[in-house]
C-alpha cells in the first residue's frame, strides 16, 4: 500500500529540546516537502528537497533542519532555536510525471 | 514570489445547496492550480486540479474554473452533503516550484 507515513502523530517538546519528526514515502517520488500549519493559517513551506542529498530553505526555515540521505526519507528536526514550535506539521511528496502533491497524515507538535 | 488569496474564510450552506470558493494569484507564470480538502486532524487530500491550458474541469459534484486573464480560479461544489464539511485549500505554482497555498476556507454543510 503506497503512501506517505509520518510519525509520531503527537509529539511533545520540552524547553531547550530538539525533536525530530519522521517522514517516509514509498511512492518513489523525488521531491519531498515540509509544511507548517497553524490554526486559521495556510500551509507555510519550511524546507524542500528535489533530490537525495540536496535541500533548500522554504519561507520559514529558521529554527528547523532537515536531511535527505535516502530517497524515501526526509526527517525534520525542530531545534531549540524555534521559539514557537507548536503547530501541525505536514510532510508531502511530489512525483514527476504525475505532478501531484500528496500529503502525509501530519504530526501535532506541542510544547510542555 | 507567488501570493494566493482565498475567500471566504468561512462558508455555511444548507445541504443540497451549492458552495463556491474563490482564489486569486499574483504570478502570471503559475500554471498549476490544485484544490485540497482537509478533515480535522488529517493531512490535506487532493480533490481536483487544473492546468493553465484548460478553462474548466469537472469531476462529479466538483468543478474548478480558471480565468488566466483575471488570475483567479474557483471551486464549485454542487448538491452539497454534510460529509463535504471540511477546510478547503487552493494553491498555485509554476512548473518545478513548490505550491503556494491560500489560507483555507472552512465549509460547513448543515442538514
Amino acid at each position: 500500500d503506497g503512501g506517505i507515513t509520518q510519525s509520531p502523530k503527537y509529539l511533545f517538546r520540552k524547553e531547550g529540546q530538539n525533536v525530530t519528526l519522521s517522514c517516509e514515502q514509498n511512492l518513489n517520488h523525488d521531491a519531498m516537502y515540509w509544511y507548517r500549519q497553524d490554526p486559521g493559517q495556510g500551509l507555510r513551506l519550511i524546507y524542500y528537497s528535489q533530490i537525495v542529498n540536496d535541500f533548500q530553505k522554504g519561507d520559514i526555515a529558521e529554527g528547523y533542519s532537515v536531511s535527505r540521505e535516502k530517497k524515501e526519507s526526509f526527517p525534520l528536526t525542530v531545534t531549540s532555536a524555534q521559539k514557537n514550535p507548536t503547530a501541525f506539521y505536514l510532510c508531502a511528496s511530489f512525483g514527476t510525471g504525475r505532478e501531484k502533491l500528496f500529503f502525509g497524515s501530519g504530526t501535532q507538535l506541542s510544547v510542555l | 514570489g507567488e501570493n494566493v488569496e482565498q475567500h471566504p474564510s468561512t462558508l455555511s450552506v444548507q445541504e443540497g445547496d451549492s458552495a463556491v470558493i474563490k482564489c486569486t494569484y499574483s504570478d502570471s507564470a503559475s500554471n498549476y492550480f490544485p484544490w485540497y480538502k482537509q478533515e480535522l486532524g488529517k493531512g490535506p487530500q487532493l480533490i481536483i486540479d487544473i492546468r493553465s491550458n484548460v478553462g474548466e474541469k469537472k469531476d462529479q459534484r466538483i468543478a474548478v474554473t480558471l480565468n488566466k486573464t483575471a488570475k483567479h480560479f474557483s471551486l464549485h461544489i454542487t448538491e452539497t452533503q454534510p460529509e463535504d464539511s471540511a477546510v478547503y485549500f487552493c494553491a498555485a505554482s509554476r512548473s518545478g516550484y513548490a505550491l503556494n497555498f491560500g489560507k483555507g476556507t472552512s465549509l460547513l454543510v448543515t442538514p
Side-chain angles (χ1 to χ4, degrees):
Chain A
D1 190 21
I4 303 169
T5 302
Q6 288 188 242
S7 62
K9 189 165 180 62
Y10 301 97
L11 186 59
F12 297 91
R13 192 191 90 166
K14 295 180 182 179
E15 292 287 340
Q17 187 182 41
N18 293 352
V19 292
T20 298
L21 286 61
S22 170
C23 179
E24 304 278 333
Q25 56 99 359
N26 60 4
L27 300 167
N28 200 34
H29 286 172
D30 290 310
M32 297 185 74
Y33 300 79
W34 275 106
Y35 287 90
R36 170 177 170 144
Q37 186 175 27
D38 295 280
Q41 299 290 319
L43 282 70
R44 293 184 290 168
L45 183 64
I46 305 172
Y47 267 99
Y48 65 101
S49 168
Q50 305 269 33
I51 197 168
V52 174
N53 292 324
D54 188 43
F55 48 83
Q56 288 80 39
K57 293 181 179 180
D59 300 320
I60 56 166
E62 186 174 352
Y64 300 97
S65 66
V66 294
S67 63
R68 187 84 188 277
E69 297 177 1
K70 299 186 301 181
K71 187 175 185 178
E72 301 80 17
S73 179
F74 190 41
L76 173 74
T77 296
V78 184
T79 74
S80 56
Q82 173 49 247
K83 298 306 180 186
N84 185 23
T86 297
F88 191 52
Y89 290 87
L90 288 160
C91 178
S93 69
F94 195 86
T96 54
R98 292 195 65 185
E99 295 186 305
K100 296 180 188 294
L101 189 70
F102 296 96
F103 285 90
S105 56
T107 293
Q108 176 64 51
L109 175 62
S110 302
V111 176
L112 288 175
Chain B
E2 175 67 276
N3 182 43
V4 178
E5 299 282 340
Q6 183 172 348
H7 299 281
S9 57
T10 60
L11 179 60
S12 182
V13 300
Q14 285 204 313
E15 183 176 1
D17 288 349
S18 295
V20 180
I21 303 170
K22 298 182 179 181
C23 288
T24 60
Y25 61 99
S26 59
D27 185 356
S28 57
S30 289
N31 58 5
Y32 177 59
F33 308 92
W35 286 89
Y36 287 84
K37 175 183 180 182
Q38 186 178 27
E39 298 176 343
L40 194 62
K42 297 183 179 180
Q45 298 291 315
L46 178 67
I47 56 172
I48 195 167
D49 57 7
I50 193 169
R51 299 194 180 274
S52 57
N53 58 347
V54 175
E56 184 174 358
K57 184 177 179 181
K58 192 172 182 179
D59 182 4
Q60 299 182 338
R61 297 186 295 109
I62 294 173
V64 56
T65 58
L66 172 65
N67 183 327
K68 286 192 297 182
T69 303
K71 289 191 283 189
H72 68 68
F73 56 112
S74 301
L75 177 72
H76 304 253
I77 306 174
T78 58
E79 301 172 25
T80 54
Q81 302 167 3
E83 51 265 39
D84 293 328
S85 296
V87 178
Y88 292 81
F89 290 96
C90 64
S93 75
R94 59 166 78 181
S95 296
Y97 286 75
L99 287 172
N100 291 278
F101 288 84
K103 292 190 175 183
T105 296
S106 180
L107 173 65
L108 177 64
V109 180
T110 56

